């Protein structure tokens, strides 16, 4: 579970932070050319995404606790996963009311994303409560025909005014080809 505690006037993240990650079920379907009426399924694979695929907000630093960035003073985190063989549109099919209820999420908004380099995606904004602390989670899926970058961004609701705008700017910087551009 994700949890945060107050230490003086700063938020700190407890060790249980990483075990609270939501993943919608995904299977990309492809018509079988061998026999009519059969379906062949490509099982999506997930990998740690290159941290170069985003420009993190100021104050967020790389962490060895998970693949992504953390901001200790606000108790905020950006977890980055690359999903191969699943488009963001396919993943969106798994974002159902049943999924939200199973994970005790309240959907606050859903919006289309168009990054600064023209890549499309979706941003789901949720609220949830753990140990009487209100949290906000953005689940951002941005991609192309072959891969999707998934950002799971979590922060305490009490820090929303400070963090939200910076996260939205960060989403705009997503570049799926960051590693290729550097070579």
């Amino acid at each position: 579970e994700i949890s945060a505690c107050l230490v003086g006037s700063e938020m700190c993240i407890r060790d249980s932070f990483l075990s609270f990650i939501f993943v919608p079920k995904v299977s990309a379907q492809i018509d079988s050319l061998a026999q009519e009426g059969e379906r062949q399924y490509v099982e999506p694979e997930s990998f740690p995404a290159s941290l170069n695929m985003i420009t993190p907000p100021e104050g967020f630093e790389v962490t060895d606790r998970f693949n992504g960035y953390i901001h200790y003073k606000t108790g905020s985190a950006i977890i980055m996963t690359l999903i191969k063989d699943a488009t963001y549109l396919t993943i969106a099919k798994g974002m159902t009311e049943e999924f939200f209820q199973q994970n005790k999420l309240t959907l606050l908004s859903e919006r289309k994303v168009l990054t600064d380099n023209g890549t499309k995606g979706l941003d789901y904004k949720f609220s949830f409560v753990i140990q009487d602390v209100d949290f906000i989670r953005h689940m951002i899926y941005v991609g192309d025909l072959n891969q999707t970058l998934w950002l799971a961004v979590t922060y305490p609701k009490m820090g929303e005014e400070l963090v939200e705008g910076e996260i939205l700017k960060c989403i705009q910087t997503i570049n799926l080809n960051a590693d290729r551009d550097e070579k």
Side-chain angles (χ1 to χ4, degrees), residues 90-109:
T90 303
I91 294 169
K93 291 179 183 178
M95 302 297 280
T96 64
E97 193 60 42
E98 178 184 0
F99 171 77
F100 305 153
Q101 289 174 1
Q102 286 174 347
N103 291 287
K104 298 178 180 163
L105 297 169
T106 301
L107 180 64
L108 300 175
S109 66

Side-chain angles (χ1 to χ4, degrees), residues 111-139:
R111 71 179 183 94
K112 291 182 178 182
V113 170
L114 180 62
T115 68
D116 290 343
N117 72 358
T119 307
K120 295 179 181 178
L122 294 167
D123 174 8
Y124 296 89
K125 181 180 177 181
F126 300 97
S127 65
F128 61 96
V129 178
I130 295 181
Q131 298 176 355
D132 297 323
V133 177
D134 294 325
F135 286 91
I136 299 295
R137 156 115 355 130
H138 284 265
M139 292 176 69

Side-chain angles (χ1 to χ4, degrees), residues 13 15 17-18 48-49 51 56 59-72 76-80:
I13 297 176
D15 290 334
F17 187 80
L18 292 178
L51 299 184
F60 279 72
E61 52 190 77
V62 175
T63 179
D64 59 3
R65 299 174 106 191
F66 53 85
N67 189 61
Y69 297 92
I70 194 165
H71 189 270
Y72 289 100
S76 305
I78 303 171
I79 301 172
M80 299 176 60

Side-chain angles (χ1 to χ4, degrees), residues 15-34:
D15 290 334
S16 60
F17 187 80
L18 292 178
S19 61
F20 194 67
I21 297 180
F22 313 110
V23 183
K25 292 183 180 182
V26 178
S27 66
Q29 201 175 50
I30 298 174
D31 287 325
S32 172
L33 298 176

Side-chain angles (χ1 to χ4, degrees), residues 2-15 72-75 130-131 133 135 156 158:
I2 295 177
S3 59
C5 59
L6 278 176
V7 177
S9 63
E10 295 183 357
M11 295 295 293
C12 70
I13 297 176
R14 293 188 183 149
D15 290 334
Y72 289 100
K73 290 182 180 180
T74 61
I130 295 181
Q131 298 176 355
V133 177
F135 286 91
M158 65 184 257

